[in-house]
Structures are given as structure tokens and as C-alpha cells.
Amino acid sequence: MVLAHEIIVNGDFKIKPIELPEDSLEKRVKEIVHKAFWDCLSVQLSDDPPSYDHAIKLVGEIKETLLSFLLPGHTRLRNQITEVLDLDLIKQQAENGALDISKLAEFIIGMMGTLCAPVRDEEVQKLKNIKEIVPLFRAIFSVLDLMKVDMANFSVSSIRPHLMQQSVEYERKKFQEILEKQPNSLDFVTQWLEEAADDLMNQKYKNVLPVGGGASGSDEGPVPNPVAVQNRAYLRLLKWDHLQRPFPETVLMDQSRFQELQLQLEQLTILGAVLLVTFSMAASRVSSQANFAEKLKMIVKILLTDMHLPSFHLKDVLTTIGEKVCLEVSSCLSQCGFTPFTMDKEIVLKGQIQAVASPDDPIRRIMDSRILTFLETYLASGHQKPLPTVPGGFGPVQAELEEVAVKFVRLVNYNKMVFSPYYDAILSKLLVRP
């Protein structure tokens, strides 16, 4: 269930080749065994007359691998592989001294070029330059291993739509079994949805969603739409205090994903705020310079990379960022023939950048609010529609913000598909006006 869930909610899910750690025992043992095998093959082929027992076994493995790449409609290719790599015929040729290993290798490489993904064309092409048989076979198996990974990833992308409905039903069934054994398994979900409903009914979170806290009801104002309540509830997960508050039961499996999104959005908020105050002070003199905005963005991003670490101190890092930004802006102004920043302006800019460390900083609150509004608008518009316009001030980080938005909406929509019956039942009771 965990693997199926990962495939569905993670659009970037890929199976990767196994890479053993350097200097590990497993890697050393693997290298020793492989060297012994290929040395044995080299000795057999060097005999007079040559012994082809190992080589024929390798051809058989290659044949089976190539056949495994074929789709049901690849009848012609299947016949070609079966005919040319006929092991009985190859054994007869070897016994009669008529086996041409190089010719077989040429056919194998050609078939690999036909079946491989475009990303492997270069590796397959390099095989044609290897003239010695043992290094060639070794390289062929290396490329075939990569092609197996490519094929597995193709299969994953193909089954994703079919897997989704089955996974939705399976996860809902499993949760229902838990609920029947533990009737209080929706307590935190109920509280979570109730707080979201109060947010909308009270309309008191105009700048930024709260970090936590309890619900405070109100009987005034119109009853919010259940879908809007759910969307607001998911946004609250991006402001969750994971150390102090239990996560709602229905999103528990994705808690680490929401934490990662929360961190990414916090980084984007700070990054956007730093760039906004910088370009506001430097005006169009530097912001209009080609590539400067991208360069400055990359510098700040790199310095914010370790935000997830306990040892990270935002205030100290923003001090460093302020120094670096002032140097880059002054350098850009000088190169463009503009008057460099005065000392007073540098002090003001550094102070504004350092102020972003506080969650109550007005610039940071504005950027935070704009991000949440952007995500809420995207959720409300339906995931089939294009992304809404990126909010003001986020132009330099548009690609990063849109990437996070797509991940967030994918996660939310799948969770809704699984648990919407429970949410609807809870909200039907919560949203009834007494």
C-alpha cells in the first residue's frame, strides 16, 4: 500500500539503479565476484580452441532481457531475436568452430538501439567502439541494467492511472477497518476541520493562517461551503506545529510530505521577501539587468539550503545574505555605470533583510499571505485548469512556486478521493446552524 501510495502522490517517482556505498563490504564483494566471472570468460575465450560455454550462457541472458522489453505487438522483433539468438544453433556453431561472437554482439547492440529509451542512445552508441569481446559483453550488461530501470519506470507511469482507483478503494477500506476497531480515529480530523470552518466563518485570518491553536466558533455570517472548508483545512497543514500538535489521522501517511512542502514554502517566502526588498530599494536599475535576478536568487537559495537542520539560525544567515546582496547589487550598479549604494542605503537594506527573520515582519507576512492565497485559488479552481497567475513579488521564483503548488494539489486531490466520505459526514454535522 505504501509503494502504491508513493507512486500516485509523487509525480516524480522513479526507480533508480542500486548504487552501493563506496568502500562498503557489499561493493567489494560484488567487484571481486564480477572480476572473477569476467576473468574466467576471458580465459575460456583465449583457449585454443576457444570454449564458449560462459559466452553462450551470457547470450541466453541477453536474449531473455531483450525479449522482456518487448510489448505484445512487437511480433517482428520477437521473431528476429528468437531466430538470431537461437541458443541451440549457437551451440552447434561453437562445436563446429563456426561461431562469430562479434556478429552476435553487433546484432545485440543494434537491437538494444531499437528498444532503448532516447536517453540511452549515447551509451548504446559507445558499445560499437569496443572491439574486445569481454569488455564489450561487460558493457552490454551494464547498459541493459539501465534499460531495465527505464522499462520499470515506463511501467510505473503506465499503471499509475489504473493503480489510482484501486489504491483509493484499498486505502479507504483499510482506514474503515481501523475506524471500526478504534471509533475515536477521527477525533483529530474533526478538530482540524472544525478549526478550518471557524477560520472561514470568522474571517479573521486575512494576512496569514495561524500556526496552531484551538477553534473559536461563531454563529454569525454565512455557513461556509464544505469544499472551501476542506481546502482551508489543507492549507492549515502548511502551518502546522508538528512538535506540539497531533497530525489529523487521514493525512498521517503524508505527514512527511506536508512537512517538506511547509519547509519549501517557508524558504520561498523568505527568498521572495529578500528579493522584494532588494529590488524595491535598487529599483529598476538592477532588477532590469539580464540574469541579475536569477544570479541573486541562486545566491540566496544556496544560503537557505540548510533551513531544515536544527543547527540552522535564520537570523545569522540573513545577516550573511544581507552582506552578500549588498556586494552583488553594488557590483551590478558599478558595471552598469550607475551610482553605487551609499553606506546609509546599505545599512537600510541589510536591516530590512535581517527583519525578515521575524514571522511578524510586514514584508514576510505579505509574501506568506500571497502564497497561501495562490494555493487556495489553485485548489478552488480544480486541478484540471491551468495554474492561476503568480502573485506579485514572486516573479523571480515563479517556477519554484508553481512546482510546489502542483505537488501540493496532487497530494490534496488524492487525499480527497480517499477520505471525502468521512470529511463530508463530519462537515454535515459541523456546518449545521443551531
Side-chain angles (χ1 to χ4, degrees):
M1 183 172 77
V2 175
L3 178 59
H5 186 85
E6 177 69 22
I7 290 173
I8 292 167
V9 300
N10 183 3
D12 298 323
F13 177 83
K14 297 285 184 185
I15 297 172
K16 299 178 181 179
I18 298 175
E19 295 183 3
L20 297 176
E22 289 292 334
D23 300 325
S24 65
L25 177 61
E26 294 90 341
K27 187 177 180 67
R28 290 200 298 271
V29 170
K30 181 180 178 180
E31 289 173 348
I32 291 170
V33 172
H34 281 202
K35 185 178 185 303
F37 176 83
W38 294 112
D39 286 348
C40 180
L41 176 62
S42 181
V43 169
Q44 285 192 349
L45 295 178
S46 299
D47 286 345
D48 188 14
S51 173
Y52 292 106
D53 292 346
H54 270 52
I56 293 173
K57 290 180 181 179
L58 292 179
V59 171
E61 290 184 28
I62 293 171
K63 175 184 177 181
E64 293 304 315
T65 301
L66 292 175
L67 290 173
S68 70
F69 294 150
L70 300 181
L71 297 175
H74 289 159
T75 305
R76 183 179 61 83
L77 294 177
R78 188 180 305 277
N79 292 337
Q80 284 184 354
I81 295 172
T82 304
E83 180 181 342
V84 177
L85 301 183
D86 184 335
L87 296 187
D88 291 333
L89 178 59
I90 292 172
K91 288 177 184 177
Q92 292 179 15
Q93 291 174 340
E95 291 170 358
N96 296 321
L99 179 61
D100 188 344
I101 286 284
S102 298
K103 188 174 181 181
L104 286 178
E106 182 180 346
F107 170 80
I108 291 169
I109 294 171
M111 189 58 65
M112 289 171 66
T114 300
L115 298 175
C116 74
V119 70
R120 303 300 171 201
D121 286 343
E122 186 176 348
E123 281 103 329
V124 173
Q125 190 65 30
K126 289 179 180 178
L127 296 176
K128 298 178 181 180
N129 299 324
I130 303 175
K131 304 304 179 184
E132 297 182 19
I133 296 300
V134 174
L136 176 57
F137 268 89
R138 193 166 189 170
I140 285 173
F141 273 92
S142 179
V143 176
L144 285 174
D145 285 341
L146 295 175
M147 290 174 62
K148 289 177 184 178
V149 173
D150 295 337
M151 189 64 185
N153 285 320
F154 171 75
S155 299
V156 166
S157 63
S158 299
I159 67 171
R160 182 177 279 120
H162 309 287
L163 185 63
M164 179 171 290
Q165 187 57 43
Q166 294 181 11
S167 184
V168 165
E169 295 172 359
Y170 182 73
E171 288 188 36
R172 189 183 297 160
K173 176 183 176 182
K174 286 297 180 182
F175 186 80
Q176 181 61 37
E177 292 175 0
I178 294 173
L179 191 61
E180 290 172 358
K181 295 178 181 178
Q182 303 175 4
N184 63 340
S185 294
L186 285 171
D187 287 358
F188 295 129
V189 171
T190 302
Q191 181 184 1
W192 169 53
L193 292 174
E194 186 175 5
E195 291 171 0
D198 286 343
D199 278 359
L200 293 176
M201 285 191 286
N202 295 333
Q203 291 295 307
K204 64 181 182 180
Y205 299 99
K206 294 181 180 179
N207 292 327
V208 63
L209 290 176
V211 172
S216 54
S218 173
D219 295 334
E220 299 177 2
V223 176
N225 183 293
V227 174
V229 173
Q230 289 184 44
N231 290 344
R232 179 60 64 95
Y234 288 113
L235 288 173
R236 290 180 64 86
L237 298 179
L238 300 175
K239 291 292 178 183
W240 204 263
D241 187 342
H242 295 271
L243 296 178
Q244 299 297 326
R245 302 193 63 194
F247 215 58
E249 297 90 343
T250 53
V251 285
L252 199 56
M253 188 181 293
D254 291 315
Q255 182 172 10
S256 62
R257 293 184 178 89
F258 280 106
Q259 282 181 289
E260 183 180 352
L261 290 172
Q262 184 174 343
L263 175 61
Q264 290 174 351
L265 289 174
E266 186 179 355
Q267 288 176 325
L268 284 178
T269 299
I270 294 170
L271 175 59
V274 169
L275 295 178
L276 182 62
V277 298
T278 300
F279 293 140
S280 296
M281 180 161 289
S284 59
R285 292 183 296 173
V286 296
S287 58
S288 61
Q289 298 301 311
N291 301 324
F292 180 74
E294 186 67 22
K295 178 182 179 182
L296 200 61
K297 179 183 76 172
M298 293 309 300
I299 290 172
V300 179
K301 277 183 69 174
I302 290 170
L303 292 172
L304 293 174
T305 299
D306 295 332
M307 275 189 67
H308 63 288
L309 298 177
S311 59
F312 183 88
H313 297 289
L314 181 58
K315 190 173 182 179
D316 295 339
V317 171
L318 285 173
T319 299
T320 303
I321 288 174
E323 297 285 347
K324 187 65 176 172
V325 165
C326 285
L327 285 175
E328 292 294 333
V329 171
S330 295
S331 174
C332 182
L333 288 172
S334 298
Q335 291 175 10
C336 298
F338 297 120
T339 304
F341 265 180
T342 62
M343 185 63 69
D344 289 342
K345 279 193 172 182
E346 284 195 7
I347 292 173
V348 172
L349 178 56
K350 291 176 184 177
Q352 289 182 342
I353 290 175
Q354 290 170 9
V356 174
S358 171
D360 294 325
D361 175 66
I363 301 298
R364 179 169 169 178
R365 286 176 64 85
I366 288 172
M367 302 302 280
D368 197 27
S369 175
R370 288 177 180 177
I371 284 182
L372 294 174
T373 301
F374 171 76
L375 294 175
E376 191 166 28
T377 302
Y378 188 26
L379 276 178
S381 67
H383 66 287
Q384 298 295 340
K385 297 181 180 179
L387 282 161
T389 303
V390 171
F394 283 95
V397 294
Q398 176 176 344
E400 291 87 347
L401 180 56
E402 289 181 345
E403 181 182 351
V404 173
V406 169
K407 290 180 180 178
F408 174 64
V409 171
R410 178 193 293 271
L411 198 57
V412 166
N413 285 331
Y414 180 71
N415 186 268
K416 284 183 177 181
M417 290 175 67
V418 177
F419 297 106
S420 58
Y422 301 102
Y423 299 153
D424 292 341
I426 292 171
L427 290 174
S428 67
K429 298 176 182 177
L430 288 178
L431 300 180
V432 174
R433 184 73 66 200

